[in-house]
Amino acid sequence: MSTNKDNFNVADLSTALNAEDRADLVNALKNKLQDLAGKHSDVLESLTPVVRKRVDALREIQTQHDDLEAKFFEERAILEAKYQKLYQPLYTKRYEIVNGEVEVEGSEPAKDVEEKGVPDFWLIAMKNNEVLAEEISERDEGALKFLRDIKWSRVDNPKGFKLEFYFDTNTFFKNSVLTKTYHMIDEDEPILEKAIGTEIEWYPGKSLTQKILKKKPKKGSKNAKPITKTEQCESFFNFFSPPQVPEEDDDIDEDAAEELQNLMEQDYDIGSTIRDKIIPHAVSWFTGEAAQDEYGDIEEDDEEEDEDDEEDDEDDEEEDDDEDDEEDDEEETKNRKKSSAVRKKGGVRAPAGDGPQGERPPECKQQ
């Protein structure tokens, strides 16, 4: 789990915003866009008439491009819907193998072995993805071992998509399916309007998003019962309690609005990672091949940079050594001259390190 304060944490959101101090974030974003539009108009007004005509011609070209792009999005949506149906039989086969409902030829276990399917398939697949690994705590792993399948589908009115997490019967919560739905203002861009998650029905004392702290009463206190306090904690299952877009029109604190926007962006990043990477390529994430493909190039680039840095450091050290050698030669020549002068006067220089004068200065002594 990441401890960075900017990381997705619903507990932080609840303290930053309350019911009386909410505003419509969408309107705030629209206001920002209007401000930007105002700045753009200022730019146009500053142009000379000749340049303005050229820019108008470019804007017309851009309009034609946008019309083509809109058709592209329409056709892409139709094509994606077509192939999403073709994927389903493959996802069904994957589900059956992962959960041990069918056996692969030649993989029958020994009679005394009861291992079915592929244990911890989805847990391992998600942990091998850097975005999701940061959200999964050690406490979450016990519950995620019961995850049987993850699916996604498009939703309309408003447009968006829905994630479905199917769980086996477990000791953590009653729900068999947890869902997360993203409603988009513009699905093609995409601009997130809001997200809605399933309310998890935790069994008593099993919540992974909260922990109960018990404190002993102070000595001499009349109340002998321990004091209990509920505290929010980091957990993957906070994913199902997403940050909420304010519904009121009152002004919102700028810092709180910025924090909310960051939380929503991070929440969407998690959801889109599951939809676009984990679900279609689950076995590659399980084996680690997808992680190698995605992060391997980054590591290679880092290694090349490290090698270049090492070579630069070596060159710098060689230059420093050459300079030091030259300085030593000059110092030795000066010392010989000084020694000769001292001997002529009948004196003797004390070697460095002998007696009190040879002690290390205080800042260099071994602690």
Side-chain angles (χ1 to χ4, degrees), residues 91-123:
Y91 291 156
T92 299
K93 291 180 180 179
R94 180 177 68 188
Y95 170 86
E96 292 173 344
I97 294 174
V98 166
N99 295 285
E101 295 188 1
V102 298
E103 197 56 83
V104 177
E105 184 178 353
S107 66
E108 289 80 2
K111 294 181 179 179
D112 57 341
V113 177
E114 297 183 359
E115 188 176 53
K116 291 184 177 181
V118 183
D120 306 338
F121 179 80
W122 290 102
L123 169 61

Side-chain angles (χ1 to χ4, degrees), residues 244-310:
Q244 298 299 310
V245 176
E247 297 178 355
E248 299 179 6
D249 295 331
D250 298 331
D251 291 335
I252 189 173
D253 177 77
E254 186 175 348
D255 292 337
E258 185 176 353
E259 180 182 7
L260 176 59
Q261 185 173 351
N262 290 336
L263 291 172
M264 292 179 69
E265 289 175 356
Q266 291 173 22
D267 179 64
Y268 180 80
D269 189 27
I270 296 169
S272 60
T273 295
I274 294 172
R275 178 194 65 181
D276 299 335
K277 296 182 179 181
I278 301 299
I279 293 177
H281 308 291
V283 69
S284 297
W285 285 103
F286 174 82
T287 61
E289 294 168 295
Q292 182 62 35
D293 292 342
E294 181 155 332
Y295 310 127
D297 293 340
I298 297 175
E299 292 177 359
E300 288 176 4
D301 291 342
D302 291 341
E303 289 177 1
E304 290 177 1
E305 290 178 2
D306 291 340
E307 289 177 0
D308 292 340
D309 291 341
E310 289 178 2

Side-chain angles (χ1 to χ4, degrees), residues 28-43:
L29 292 174
K30 288 181 179 178
N31 290 336
K32 290 183 179 180
L33 291 175
Q34 289 175 356
D35 291 340
L36 291 174
K39 292 179 180 178
H40 294 162
S41 63
D42 292 340
V43 171

